[in-house]
């Protein structure tokens, strides 16, 4: 028989596998828009992988020089998006956009920064 901790661990792993299969991902942004509780670097972002974007969607993007970043869609052009990250507007291919942001968890990014993630 499994102990209570074993059952909880199996439950957590099963839940994570199901969320991953549904397109839910987690990242630690290295730059991007600020929110009411602090900067993007101090947070964890949970996002959903998709290919459908519209104006004012909050998105997670992959910047080659800075890693993951939080931005806002300011324009949709065939095959690319205009994304505002901070005060800068980037035209990014759809392949560089990871997905739509679902929720931001503030302050959990600080411990990840300490260990280099």
């Amino acid at each position: 028989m499994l102990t209570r901790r074993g059952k909880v661990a199996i439950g957590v792993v099963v839940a994570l596998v199901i969320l991953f299969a549904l397109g839910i991902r987690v990242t630690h942004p290295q730059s991007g828009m600020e929110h009411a509780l602090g900067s993007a670097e101090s947070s964890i972002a949970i996002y959903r992988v998709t290919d459908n974007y519209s104006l004012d969607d909050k998105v997670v993007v992959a910047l080659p020089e800075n890693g993951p970043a939080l931005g806002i869609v300011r324009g949709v052009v065939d095959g690319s998006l205009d994304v505002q990250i901070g005060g800068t507007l980037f035209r990014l291919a759809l392949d560089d956009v990871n997905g739509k942001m679902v929720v931001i968890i503030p302050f959990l990014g600080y411990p990840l920064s300490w260990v280099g993630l």
Side-chain angles (χ1 to χ4, degrees):
M1 295 241 92
L2 288 175
T3 65
R4 180 181 168 136
R5 286 184 186 176
K7 290 178 184 177
V8 169
I10 290 173
V12 168
V13 169
V14 168
L16 290 174
V17 168
I18 290 170
L19 290 173
F20 189 81
L22 293 174
I24 303 297
R25 306 287 192 274
V26 177
T27 190
H28 176 223
Q30 302 302 310
S31 63
M33 63 183 191
E34 294 187 2
H35 50 85
L37 294 175
S39 66
E41 297 86 7
S42 69
S43 304
I44 299 293
I46 299 174
Y47 65 96
R48 182 175 48 87
V49 176
T50 184
D51 288 330
N52 299 323
Y53 302 100
S54 58
L55 293 177
D56 296 329
D57 281 345
K58 280 100 177 144
V59 293
V60 175
V61 301
L63 295 177
E65 63 277 354
N66 294 338
L70 302 178
I72 300 173
V73 175
R74 294 300 184 196
V76 179
V77 184
D78 294 330
S80 63
L81 297 174
D82 291 335
V83 178
Q84 180 182 354
I85 301 171
T88 308
L89 191 65
F90 293 91
R91 178 156 290 171
L92 301 171
L94 287 176
D95 293 340
D96 294 331
V97 181
N98 295 339
K100 287 184 188 179
M101 191 168 46
V102 175
V103 67
I104 289 188
I105 303 171
F107 310 121
L108 286 182
Y110 285 126
L112 292 177
S113 299
W114 298 336
V115 295
L117 295 176

